[in-house]
Amino acid sequence: MAQGHSVDEYLETIYFLAFPIGEYRPLTAGSPTLASRVAEMLGVSRASAGEMLKRLEADGLVERGKQKEALLTPSGRERAERVVR
């Protein structure tokens, strides 16, 4: 598991990167949700974030796009929205 961060923390981070609000804006607007962005937000290594993204993909919560970006599946987005609320 990636340095103690939970699945829900990763989903929340991906959600905020995909739908920026308030203080959760990425440094560059419109950038894809890549492992490096997730790692930056959570303060973990890119390798750790990549491992967790693979796990989330295997669990059906995330899909990988053409540029290897993380895209929430409908069930991933639903779970992320529950965490955000």
Side-chain angles (χ1 to χ4, degrees):
M1 187 142 154
Q3 298 187 12
H5 288 286
S6 71
V7 167
D8 287 341
E9 288 174 304
Y10 272 83
L11 291 174
E12 178 183 34
T13 300
I14 294 166
Y15 181 86
F16 282 130
L17 286 169
F19 308 101
I21 56 173
E23 71 212 52
Y24 293 100
R25 293 194 181 278
L27 296 178
T28 55
S31 60
T33 307
L34 302 172
S36 59
R37 285 267 162 228
V38 174
E40 176 187 328
M41 297 256 333
L42 290 174
V44 299
S45 71
R46 201 169 93 189
S48 293
E51 283 180 37
M52 181 58 92
L53 290 176
K54 287 179 189 174
R55 178 178 166 196
L56 295 174
E57 186 175 15
D59 290 346
L61 298 170
V62 167
E63 295 173 339
R64 300 306 282 265
K66 292 179 183 179
Q67 299 175 351
K68 302 289 186 196
E69 69 273 24
L71 306 168
L72 293 170
T73 63
S75 60
R77 183 172 176 171
E78 180 180 316
R79 184 167 169 177
E81 287 175 342
R82 280 197 313 263
V83 172
V84 170
R85 288 185 193 134

Coordinates of all heavy atoms in Angstrom, one line a residue:
M1 N 0.9 -1.2 0.0 CA 0.0 0.0 0.0 C 0.9 1.2 0.0 O 2.0 1.2 0.6 CB -0.9 0.0 1.2 CG -1.9 1.1 1.2 SD -3.4 0.4 1.8 CE -4.3 1.6 2.4
A2 N 0.4 2.3 -0.5 CA 1.2 3.5 -0.8 C 1.3 4.4 0.4 O 0.4 5.2 0.7 CB 0.7 4.2 -2.0
Q3 N 2.3 4.2 1.2 CA 2.7 5.1 2.4 C 1.5 5.5 3.2 O 1.4 6.7 3.6 CB 3.4 6.3 1.8 CG 4.7 5.9 1.2 CD 5.6 7.1 0.8 OE1 5.3 8.2 1.3 NE2 6.6 6.9 0.0
G4 N 0.6 4.6 3.6 CA -0.4 4.9 4.5 C -1.6 5.7 4.0 O -2.5 5.9 4.8
H5 N -1.7 6.1 2.8 CA -2.8 6.8 2.3 C -3.9 5.8 1.9 O -3.6 4.8 1.3 CB -2.5 7.8 1.2 CG -1.7 9.0 1.6 ND1 -2.3 10.0 2.2 CD2 -0.4 9.3 1.4 CE1 -1.4 10.9 2.5 NE2 -0.2 10.5 2.0
S6 N -5.1 6.1 2.2 CA -6.2 5.2 2.0 C -6.7 5.3 0.5 O -6.4 6.3 -0.1 CB -7.4 5.4 2.9 OG -8.0 6.6 2.6
V7 N -7.5 4.3 0.1 CA -8.1 4.4 -1.2 C -9.0 5.6 -1.3 O -8.9 6.3 -2.3 CB -9.0 3.1 -1.4 CG1 -9.9 3.2 -2.6 CG2 -8.1 1.9 -1.6
D8 N -9.7 5.9 -0.2 CA -10.6 7.1 -0.2 C -9.8 8.4 -0.4 O -10.2 9.3 -1.1 CB -11.4 7.1 1.0 CG -12.5 6.1 1.0 OD1 -12.9 5.6 -0.1 OD2 -13.0 5.8 2.1
E9 N -8.6 8.5 0.2 CA -7.8 9.7 0.1 C -7.3 9.9 -1.4 O -7.3 11.0 -1.9 CB -6.6 9.6 1.0 CG -6.9 9.8 2.4 CD -5.8 9.6 3.4 OE1 -5.1 8.5 3.3 OE2 -5.5 10.6 4.1
Y10 N -7.0 8.7 -2.0 CA -6.6 8.8 -3.4 C -7.8 9.2 -4.3 O -7.6 10.1 -5.2 CB -6.0 7.5 -3.9 CG -4.5 7.4 -3.7 CD1 -4.0 7.0 -2.4 CD2 -3.6 7.7 -4.7 CE1 -2.7 6.9 -2.2 CE2 -2.2 7.6 -4.4 CZ -1.8 7.2 -3.2 OH -0.4 7.1 -3.0
L11 N -8.9 8.6 -4.1 CA -10.1 9.0 -4.9 C -10.5 10.4 -4.7 O -10.8 11.1 -5.6 CB -11.3 8.1 -4.5 CG -11.2 6.6 -4.9 CD1 -12.3 5.8 -4.3 CD2 -11.1 6.4 -6.4
E12 N -10.4 10.9 -3.4 CA -10.7 12.3 -3.2 C -9.7 13.2 -3.9 O -10.1 14.2 -4.5 CB -10.6 12.6 -1.7 CG -10.8 14.0 -1.3 CD -10.6 14.2 0.2 OE1 -9.8 13.6 0.8 OE2 -11.3 15.1 0.8
T13 N -8.4 12.9 -3.9 CA -7.4 13.7 -4.6 C -7.7 13.7 -6.1 O -7.6 14.7 -6.7 CB -6.0 13.1 -4.3 OG1 -5.8 13.2 -2.9 CG2 -4.9 13.9 -5.0
I14 N -7.9 12.5 -6.7 CA -8.2 12.5 -8.1 C -9.5 13.3 -8.4 O -9.5 14.0 -9.4 CB -8.4 11.0 -8.6 CG1 -7.1 10.2 -8.4 CG2 -8.9 10.9 -10.0 CD1 -7.3 8.7 -8.5
Y15 N -10.5 13.2 -7.6 CA -11.7 14.0 -7.8 C -11.4 15.5 -7.8 O -11.8 16.2 -8.7 CB -12.7 13.7 -6.7 CG -14.0 14.4 -6.8 CD1 -15.0 13.9 -7.6 CD2 -14.2 15.6 -6.1 CE1 -16.2 14.5 -7.7 CE2 -15.4 16.3 -6.2 CZ -16.4 15.7 -7.0 OH -17.6 16.4 -7.2
F16 N -10.6 16.0 -6.8 CA -10.3 17.4 -6.7 C -9.4 17.8 -7.9 O -9.5 19.0 -8.3 CB -9.7 17.8 -5.4 CG -10.6 17.9 -4.3 CD1 -10.4 17.2 -3.1 CD2 -11.8 18.6 -4.4 CE1 -11.4 17.3 -2.0 CE2 -12.7 18.7 -3.4 CZ -12.5 18.1 -2.2
L17 N -8.6 17.0 -8.4 CA -7.8 17.3 -9.6 C -8.6 17.4 -10.8 O -8.4 18.2 -11.7 CB -6.6 16.3 -9.8 CG -5.5 16.4 -8.8 CD1 -4.5 15.2 -8.9 CD2 -4.7 17.7 -9.0
A18 N -9.6 16.5 -10.9 CA -10.5 16.5 -12.1 C -11.5 17.6 -12.0 O -11.9 18.2 -13.0 CB -11.2 15.2 -12.1
F19 N -12.0 18.0 -10.8 CA -13.0 19.0 -10.6 C -12.5 20.0 -9.5 O -12.9 20.0 -8.4 CB -14.3 18.4 -10.1 CG -14.8 17.2 -10.9 CD1 -14.6 15.9 -10.5 CD2 -15.4 17.5 -12.2 CE1 -15.0 14.9 -11.3 CE2 -15.8 16.4 -12.9 CZ -15.6 15.1 -12.5
P20 N -11.5 20.9 -9.9 CA -10.9 21.7 -8.9 C -11.9 22.7 -8.3 O -12.7 23.4 -9.0 CB -9.8 22.5 -9.7 CG -10.1 22.2 -11.1 CD -11.0 21.1 -11.3
I21 N -11.8 22.8 -7.0 CA -12.6 23.8 -6.3 C -11.7 24.4 -5.1 O -10.9 23.7 -4.6 CB -13.9 23.2 -5.7 CG1 -13.6 22.0 -4.8 CG2 -14.9 22.9 -6.8 CD1 -14.8 21.5 -4.1
G22 N -11.9 25.6 -4.8 CA -11.3 26.2 -3.6 C -9.8 26.0 -3.6 O -9.1 26.2 -4.6
E23 N -9.3 25.5 -2.5 CA -7.8 25.4 -2.3 C -7.2 24.2 -3.0 O -6.0 24.0 -3.0 CB -7.5 25.3 -0.8 CG -8.0 24.0 -0.2 CD -8.4 24.1 1.3 OE1 -9.2 25.0 1.5 OE2 -7.9 23.3 2.1
Y24 N -8.1 23.3 -3.5 CA -7.6 22.1 -4.1 C -7.3 22.2 -5.6 O -7.4 21.3 -6.4 CB -8.7 21.0 -3.9 CG -8.8 20.6 -2.5 CD1 -9.8 21.1 -1.7 CD2 -7.8 19.8 -1.9 CE1 -9.9 20.7 -0.4 CE2 -7.9 19.4 -0.6 CZ -9.0 19.9 0.2 OH -9.0 19.5 1.5
R25 N -6.9 23.4 -6.0 CA -6.6 23.6 -7.4 C -5.2 23.1 -7.7 O -4.3 23.4 -7.0 CB -6.7 25.1 -7.8 CG -8.1 25.6 -7.8 CD -8.2 27.0 -8.4 NE -9.6 27.4 -8.4 CZ -10.5 27.1 -9.2 NH1 -10.3 26.2 -10.1 NH2 -11.7 27.5 -9.0
P26 N -5.0 22.4 -8.8 CA -3.7 21.9 -9.2 C -2.9 23.2 -9.6 O -3.4 24.2 -9.9 CB -3.9 21.0 -10.4 CG -5.3 21.4 -10.9 CD -6.0 21.9 -9.8
L27 N -1.5 23.0 -9.6 CA -0.7 24.1 -10.0 C -0.9 24.6 -11.4 O -0.8 25.8 -11.6 CB 0.8 23.7 -9.8 CG 1.2 23.4 -8.3 CD1 2.6 23.0 -8.3 CD2 0.9 24.6 -7.4
T28 N -1.2 23.7 -12.3 CA -1.4 24.1 -13.7 C -2.9 23.7 -14.1 O -3.2 22.6 -13.9 CB -0.4 23.5 -14.7 OG1 -0.5 22.1 -14.5 CG2 1.0 24.0 -14.4
A29 N -3.6 24.7 -14.5 CA -5.0 24.4 -14.8 C -5.2 23.5 -16.0 O -4.4 23.6 -16.9 CB -5.7 25.7 -15.1
G30 N -6.1 22.6 -16.0 CA -6.4 21.8 -17.1 C -5.4 20.7 -17.4 O -5.5 20.0 -18.4
S31 N -4.6 20.4 -16.4 CA -3.6 19.3 -16.5 C -4.3 18.0 -16.3 O -5.2 17.9 -15.4 CB -2.4 19.5 -15.6 OG -2.8 19.5 -14.3
P32 N -3.9 16.9 -17.0 CA -4.5 15.6 -16.7 C -4.1 15.1 -15.3 O -3.1 15.5 -14.8 CB -3.9 14.7 -17.8 CG -2.7 15.4 -18.3 CD -2.9 16.9 -18.0
T33 N -5.0 14.2 -14.8 CA -4.7 13.7 -13.5 C -3.7 12.5 -13.6 O -4.1 11.4 -13.8 CB -6.1 13.2 -12.8 OG1 -7.0 14.3 -12.9 CG2 -5.8 12.8 -11.4
L34 N -2.5 12.8 -13.6 CA -1.4 11.8 -13.7 C -0.9 11.4 -12.4 O -1.1 12.1 -11.4 CB -0.3 12.4 -14.6 CG -0.6 12.9 -16.0 CD1 0.6 13.6 -16.6 CD2 -1.0 11.7 -16.8
A35 N -0.2 10.3 -12.3 CA 0.4 9.8 -11.1 C 1.2 10.9 -10.4 O 1.2 11.1 -9.2 CB 1.2 8.6 -11.3
S36 N 1.9 11.7 -11.2 CA 2.8 12.7 -10.7 C 2.0 13.8 -9.9 O 2.4 14.3 -8.9 CB 3.7 13.3 -11.7 OG 2.9 13.9 -12.8
R37 N 0.8 14.1 -10.5 CA 0.0 15.1 -9.8 C -0.6 14.6 -8.5 O -0.7 15.3 -7.5 CB -1.2 15.5 -10.8 CG -0.8 16.4 -11.9 CD -1.1 17.8 -11.4 NE -0.3 18.6 -12.3 CZ 0.5 19.6 -11.9 NH1 0.6 19.9 -10.7 NH2 1.2 20.3 -12.8
V38 N -1.0 13.3 -8.6 CA -1.6 12.7 -7.4 C -0.5 12.6 -6.3 O -0.7 13.0 -5.1 CB -2.2 11.3 -7.7 CG1 -2.6 10.6 -6.4 CG2 -3.3 11.4 -8.7
A39 N 0.7 12.2 -6.7 CA 1.8 12.1 -5.8 C 2.1 13.5 -5.1 O 2.3 13.6 -3.9 CB 3.0 11.6 -6.5
E40 N 2.1 14.5 -6.0 CA 2.4 15.9 -5.5 C 1.4 16.3 -4.4 O 1.7 16.8 -3.4 CB 2.3 16.8 -6.7 CG 2.5 18.3 -6.3 CD 2.3 19.2 -7.6 OE1 2.6 18.8 -8.7 OE2 1.8 20.3 -7.3
M41 N 0.1 16.0 -4.7 CA -0.9 16.5 -3.8 C -0.9 15.7 -2.4 O -1.2 16.2 -1.4 CB -2.3 16.3 -4.4 CG -2.5 17.2 -5.6 SD -3.5 18.7 -5.5 CE -4.7 18.5 -4.2
L42 N -0.5 14.4 -2.5 CA -0.5 13.6 -1.3 C 0.8 13.5 -0.6 O 1.0 13.0 0.5 CB -0.9 12.1 -1.7 CG -2.4 12.0 -2.0 CD1 -2.7 10.6 -2.5 CD2 -3.3 12.3 -0.9
G43 N 1.9 14.1 -1.3 CA 3.2 14.1 -0.7 C 3.8 12.7 -0.6 O 4.5 12.4 0.3
V44 N 3.6 11.9 -1.7 CA 4.2 10.6 -1.8 C 5.0 10.5 -3.1 O 5.0 11.4 -3.9 CB 3.1 9.5 -1.8 CG1 2.3 9.5 -0.5 CG2 2.2 9.6 -3.0
S45 N 5.7 9.4 -3.2 CA 6.6 9.3 -4.4 C 5.6 9.0 -5.6 O 4.5 8.5 -5.5 CB 7.6 8.2 -4.3 OG 6.9 6.9 -4.3
R46 N 6.1 9.3 -6.8 CA 5.4 9.0 -8.0 C 5.2 7.4 -8.2 O 4.1 7.0 -8.6 CB 6.1 9.5 -9.2 CG 5.2 9.7 -10.4 CD 5.9 10.5 -11.5 NE 6.6 9.6 -12.4 CZ 7.4 9.9 -13.4 NH1 7.7 11.1 -13.5 NH2 7.9 9.0 -14.2
A47 N 6.2 6.7 -7.7 CA 6.0 5.2 -7.8 C 4.9 4.7 -6.9 O 4.1 3.8 -7.3 CB 7.3 4.5 -7.4
S48 N 4.8 5.3 -5.7 CA 3.7 4.9 -4.8 C 2.4 5.3 -5.3 O 1.4 4.5 -5.2 CB 3.9 5.6 -3.4 OG 5.1 5.1 -2.8
A49 N 2.3 6.4 -5.9 CA 1.0 6.9 -6.5 C 0.7 5.9 -7.7 O -0.5 5.6 -7.8 CB 1.1 8.3 -6.9
G50 N 1.6 5.6 -8.5 CA 1.4 4.7 -9.6 C 0.9 3.4 -9.2 O 0.0 2.8 -9.8
E51 N 1.5 2.8 -8.1 CA 1.0 1.5 -7.6 C -0.4 1.6 -7.1 O -1.2 0.7 -7.4 CB 1.9 1.1 -6.4 CG 3.3 0.6 -6.7 CD 4.0 0.2 -5.5 OE1 3.4 -0.3 -4.5 OE2 5.3 0.5 -5.5
M52 N -0.8 2.7 -6.4 CA -2.1 2.8 -5.9 C -3.1 3.0 -7.1 O -4.2 2.4 -7.1 CB -2.3 3.9 -4.9 CG -3.7 4.1 -4.4 SD -4.4 2.6 -3.6 CE -3.9 3.0 -1.9
L53 N -2.7 3.7 -8.1 CA -3.6 3.9 -9.3 C -3.8 2.6 -10.0 O -4.9 2.3 -10.4 CB -3.0 4.9 -10.3 CG -3.0 6.4 -9.8 CD1 -2.3 7.3 -10.7 CD2 -4.4 6.8 -9.5
K54 N -2.8 1.7 -10.0 CA -3.0 0.4 -10.6 C -4.0 -0.4 -9.8 O -4.8 -1.1 -10.3 CB -1.7 -0.4 -10.7 CG -0.7 0.1 -11.7 CD 0.6 -0.7 -11.7 CE 1.6 -0.1 -12.6 NZ 2.9 -0.7 -12.5
R55 N -3.9 -0.3 -8.4 CA -4.8 -1.0 -7.6 C -6.3 -0.5 -7.8 O -7.2 -1.2 -7.8 CB -4.4 -0.8 -6.1 CG -5.3 -1.4 -5.1 CD -4.8 -1.2 -3.7 NE -5.9 -1.6 -2.8 CZ -5.9 -1.2 -1.5 NH1 -4.9 -0.6 -1.0 NH2 -6.9 -1.6 -0.8
L56 N -6.4 0.8 -7.9 CA -7.7 1.4 -8.1 C -8.3 1.0 -9.4 O -9.5 0.8 -9.5 CB -7.6 3.0 -8.0 CG -7.2 3.6 -6.7 CD1 -7.1 5.1 -6.8 CD2 -8.3 3.2 -5.6
E57 N -7.4 0.9 -10.4 CA -7.9 0.4 -11.7 C -8.3 -1.0 -11.6 O -9.4 -1.4 -12.2 CB -6.7 0.5 -12.7 CG -7.1 0.2 -14.1 CD -6.0 0.5 -15.1 OE1 -4.9 0.7 -14.7 OE2 -6.4 0.5 -16.3
A58 N -7.6 -1.9 -10.9 CA -8.0 -3.3 -10.8 C -9.3 -3.4 -10.0 O -10.1 -4.4 -10.2 CB -6.9 -4.0 -10.0
D59 N -9.5 -2.5 -9.1 CA -10.8 -2.5 -8.3 C -12.0 -1.9 -9.0 O -13.1 -1.8 -8.5 CB -10.6 -1.8 -7.0 CG -9.7 -2.5 -6.0 OD1 -9.4 -3.7 -6.2 OD2 -9.2 -1.9 -5.0
G60 N -11.7 -1.4 -10.3 CA -12.8 -0.8 -11.1 C -13.2 0.6 -10.7 O -14.3 1.1 -11.0
L61 N -12.3 1.3 -9.9 CA -12.6 2.7 -9.5 C -12.0 3.7 -10.4 O -12.5 4.9 -10.4 CB -12.1 2.9 -8.0 CG -12.8 1.9 -7.0 CD1 -12.1 2.0 -5.7 CD2 -14.3 2.2 -6.8
V62 N -11.0 3.4 -11.1 CA -10.3 4.3 -12.0 C -10.0 3.6 -13.3 O -9.8 2.4 -13.4 CB -8.9 4.7 -11.3 CG1 -8.0 5.4 -12.3 CG2 -9.2 5.6 -10.1
E63 N -10.1 4.4 -14.4 CA -9.6 3.9 -15.7 C -8.5 4.8 -16.1 O -8.3 5.9 -15.7 CB -10.8 4.1 -16.8 CG -12.0 3.2 -16.5 CD -13.1 3.6 -17.4 OE1 -13.1 4.7 -18.0 OE2 -14.0 2.7 -17.6
R64 N -7.6 4.2 -17.0 CA -6.5 5.0 -17.5 C -6.8 5.5 -18.9 O -7.3 4.7 -19.7 CB -5.2 4.2 -17.5 CG -4.8 3.7 -16.1 CD -4.7 4.7 -15.0 NE -3.5 5.5 -15.1 CZ -2.4 5.3 -14.5 NH1 -2.3 4.3 -13.6 NH2 -1.3 6.0 -14.6
G65 N -6.6 6.8 -19.1 CA -6.9 7.4 -20.4 C -5.7 7.2 -21.4 O -4.8 6.5 -21.1
K66 N -5.9 7.8 -22.5 CA -4.9 7.7 -23.6 C -3.5 8.2 -23.2 O -2.5 7.7 -23.6 CB -5.3 8.5 -24.8 CG -6.5 7.9 -25.5 CD -6.9 8.7 -26.7 CE -8.2 8.1 -27.3 NZ -8.7 8.9 -28.5
Q67 N -3.5 9.2 -22.3 CA -2.2 9.8 -21.8 C -1.8 9.2 -20.5 O -1.1 9.8 -19.7 CB -2.3 11.3 -21.7 CG -2.6 12.0 -23.0 CD -2.8 13.5 -22.9 OE1 -2.9 14.0 -21.8 NE2 -2.8 14.2 -24.0
K68 N -2.4 8.1 -20.1 CA -2.2 7.4 -18.8 C -2.8 8.2 -17.6 O -2.4 7.9 -16.5 CB -0.7 7.1 -18.6 CG -0.1 6.2 -19.7 CD -0.6 4.8 -19.6 CE 0.1 3.9 -20.6 NZ -0.5 2.7 -20.8
E69 N -3.6 9.1 -17.9 CA -4.2 9.9 -16.8 C -5.3 9.0 -16.1 O -5.8 8.1 -16.7 CB -4.9 11.2 -17.4 CG -6.1 11.0 -18.2 CD -5.9 10.8 -19.7 OE1 -4.8 10.4 -20.1 OE2 -6.8 11.1 -20.5
A70 N -5.5 9.4 -14.9 CA -6.5 8.6 -14.1 C -7.9 9.3 -14.2 O -8.1 10.5 -14.0 CB -6.1 8.7 -12.6
L71 N -8.8 8.4 -14.6 CA -10.2 8.9 -14.8 C -11.1 8.1 -13.9 O -11.0 6.8 -13.9 CB -10.6 8.6 -16.3 CG -9.7 9.2 -17.4 CD1 -10.1 8.7 -18.7 CD2 -9.8 10.8 -17.3
L72 N -11.9 8.8 -13.1 CA -12.8 8.0 -12.2 C -13.9 7.3 -13.0 O -14.5 7.9 -13.9 CB -13.4 9.0 -11.2 CG -12.5 9.6 -10.2 CD1 -13.2 10.7 -9.5 CD2 -11.9 8.6 -9.2
T73 N -14.1 6.1 -12.7 CA -15.2 5.4 -13.3 C -16.5 5.9 -12.5 O -16.4 6.6 -11.5 CB -15.1 3.8 -13.0 OG1 -15.1 3.6 -11.6 CG2 -13.8 3.3 -13.7
P74 N -17.7 5.5 -13.0 CA -18.9 6.0 -12.3 C -18.9 5.5 -10.8 O -19.2 6.3 -9.9 CB -20.0 5.3 -13.1 CG -19.5 5.2 -14.5 CD -18.0 4.9 -14.3
S75 N -18.5 4.3 -10.5 CA -18.4 3.9 -9.1 C -17.3 4.6 -8.4 O -17.5 4.9 -7.2 CB -18.3 2.4 -9.0 OG -17.1 1.9 -9.6
G76 N -16.2 4.9 -9.0 CA -15.1 5.6 -8.4 C -15.5 7.1 -8.1 O -15.3 7.6 -7.0
R77 N -16.2 7.7 -9.0 CA -16.7 9.0 -8.8 C -17.7 9.1 -7.7 O -17.7 10.0 -6.8 CB -17.3 9.6 -10.1 CG -17.7 11.0 -9.9 CD -18.1 11.7 -11.2 NE -18.6 13.0 -10.9 CZ -18.9 13.9 -11.8 NH1 -18.7 13.7 -13.1 NH2 -19.3 15.1 -11.5
E78 N -18.6 8.1 -7.6 CA -19.7 8.0 -6.6 C -19.0 7.9 -5.2 O -19.4 8.6 -4.3 CB -20.6 6.9 -6.9 CG -21.7 6.7 -5.8 CD -22.5 5.5 -6.1 OE1 -22.9 5.3 -7.3 OE2 -22.8 4.7 -5.2
R79 N -18.0 7.0 -5.1 CA -17.3 6.9 -3.8 C -16.5 8.1 -3.5 O -16.6 8.6 -2.3 CB -16.4 5.7 -3.9 CG -15.7 5.4 -2.6 CD -15.0 4.0 -2.7 NE -14.2 3.8 -1.5 CZ -13.5 2.7 -1.3 NH1 -13.6 1.7 -2.1 NH2 -12.7 2.6 -0.2
A80 N -15.9 8.8 -4.4 CA -15.1 10.0 -4.2 C -16.1 11.1 -3.7 O -15.8 11.8 -2.8 CB -14.4 10.4 -5.4
E81 N -17.2 11.2 -4.3 CA -18.2 12.2 -3.9 C -18.7 12.0 -2.5 O -19.0 12.9 -1.7 CB -19.4 12.3 -4.9 CG -18.9 12.9 -6.2 CD -20.0 12.9 -7.3 OE1 -21.0 12.1 -7.2 OE2 -19.9 13.7 -8.3
R82 N -18.9 10.7 -2.1 CA -19.3 10.4 -0.7 C -18.2 10.9 0.3 O -18.5 11.4 1.3 CB -19.5 8.9 -0.5 CG -20.9 8.5 -1.0 CD -21.3 7.1 -0.5 NE -20.2 6.1 -0.6 CZ -20.1 5.2 -1.5 NH1 -21.0 5.2 -2.5 NH2 -19.1 4.3 -1.5
V83 N -16.9 10.7 -0.1 CA -15.8 11.1 0.7 C -15.8 12.6 0.9 O -15.6 13.2 1.9 CB -14.5 10.6 0.2 CG1 -13.3 11.2 0.9 CG2 -14.4 9.1 0.2
V84 N -16.0 13.3 -0.3 CA -15.9 14.8 -0.3 C -17.0 15.4 0.6 O -16.8 16.3 1.3 CB -16.0 15.3 -1.8 CG1 -16.2 16.8 -1.8 CG2 -14.7 14.9 -2.5
R85 N -18.2 14.8 0.5 CA -19.3 15.3 1.3 C -19.0 15.0 2.8 O -19.3 15.6 3.7 CB -20.6 14.6 0.9 CG -21.0 15.0 -0.4 CD -22.4 14.4 -0.8 NE -22.6 14.6 -2.2 CZ -23.0 13.7 -3.0 NH1 -23.3 12.5 -2.6 NH2 -23.2 14.0 -4.3

